[in-house]
Amino acid sequence: MYTKLEQFLTEWKQEAQITEAVMRALTDDSLLQPIREDRRSLGTLAWHLVSSIGYMASLGLSMDDLPDQKERPASAVEIAEAYSRSARSLERAVQEQWSDETLGQSQQVMGEEWQNGASLRFTIMHQAHHRGQMTVLMRQAGLVVPEVYGPNYESWIEKGMVPLD
Ligand code: NI
């Protein structure tokens, strides 16, 4: 969990930047790519990440630029824009409304007591989890995925190296 606001803000900015790159690589057609029949699609997962940022409002953070979670856009560009606005809103809200002290305070989350610093940690881990699912579905949909925590297949090739197994 985070004990210092600055730790979260630094990490959130980096993570949001990676997620934005993934979101921007989506196409409208690719949104329909399912995990398997009758399960979540790439578009649903992308929108789930946008909506998950809004969940932090239930912990008392007031965010000024969140989309209506029930209105999932059919356009990849709109989803990417909604993500960027939501990510910035969370950044501003945490920066302006919480402090190092607030991070140690507990609130009820899913029936348990969670310190705010742990909720913020969860938000980042949860995003990384679904972002990983997204990049697999993006490959299955024929898209090139951006570099996430290291080179992607294409950048290995570009550098004249043999991609890792
Ligand atoms: Ni989830």
Side-chain angles (χ1 to χ4, degrees):
M1 71 163 253
Y2 298 101
T3 52
K4 298 257 182 272
L5 216 52
E6 209 44 48
Q7 294 167 337
F8 168 74
L9 290 168
T10 303
E11 221 172 299
W12 177 251
K13 283 177 211 163
Q14 291 164 350
E15 290 291 312
Q17 213 171 10
I18 297 171
T19 310
E20 280 178 319
V22 168
M23 293 278 183
R24 284 198 212 107
L26 295 170
T27 59
D28 293 351
D29 287 347
S30 73
L31 299 180
L32 304 173
Q33 179 72 39
I35 290 177
R36 59 174 241 205
E37 214 182 325
D38 300 330
R39 291 291 171 89
R40 281 172 165 177
S41 65
L42 182 50
T44 322
L45 283 174
W47 194 244
H48 175 57
L49 283 190
V50 177
S51 307
S52 300
I53 294 177
Y55 178 79
M56 294 304 289
S58 67
L59 299 182
L61 284 170
S62 163
M63 287 180 265
D64 52 13
D65 202 9
L66 297 180
D68 182 348
Q69 295 179 16
K70 286 176 238 103
E71 302 282 326
R72 174 158 69 93
S75 135
V77 168
E78 281 177 56
I79 293 178
E81 282 170 0
Y83 174 78
S84 295
R85 289 200 307 275
S86 302
R88 295 282 122 65
S89 291
L90 177 62
E91 185 186 317
R92 280 195 301 275
V94 170
Q95 190 152 31
E96 291 164 12
Q97 299 161 38
W98 279 3
S99 61
D100 292 351
E101 199 192 345
T102 321
L103 297 184
Q105 293 169 358
S106 296
Q107 304 197 49
Q108 283 269 330
V109 175
M110 296 180 282
E112 294 170 16
E113 286 289 315
W114 282 41
Q115 285 180 291
N116 290 325
S119 297
L120 288 176
R121 164 56 68 196
F122 179 88
T123 301
I124 285 193
M125 302 297 279
H126 174 259
Q127 174 171 266
H129 160 62
H130 287 302
R131 193 177 58 206
Q133 294 179 311
M134 284 176 66
T135 56
V136 173
L137 291 177
M138 287 164 80
R139 285 293 189 189
Q140 290 176 348
L143 301 183
V144 172
V145 301
E147 295 186 343
V148 175
Y149 293 124
N152 61 7
Y153 182 87
E154 286 76 10
S155 37
W156 282 113
I157 302 279
E158 222 167 83
K159 289 180 188 127
M161 296 168 86
V162 181
L164 295 174
D165 281 337

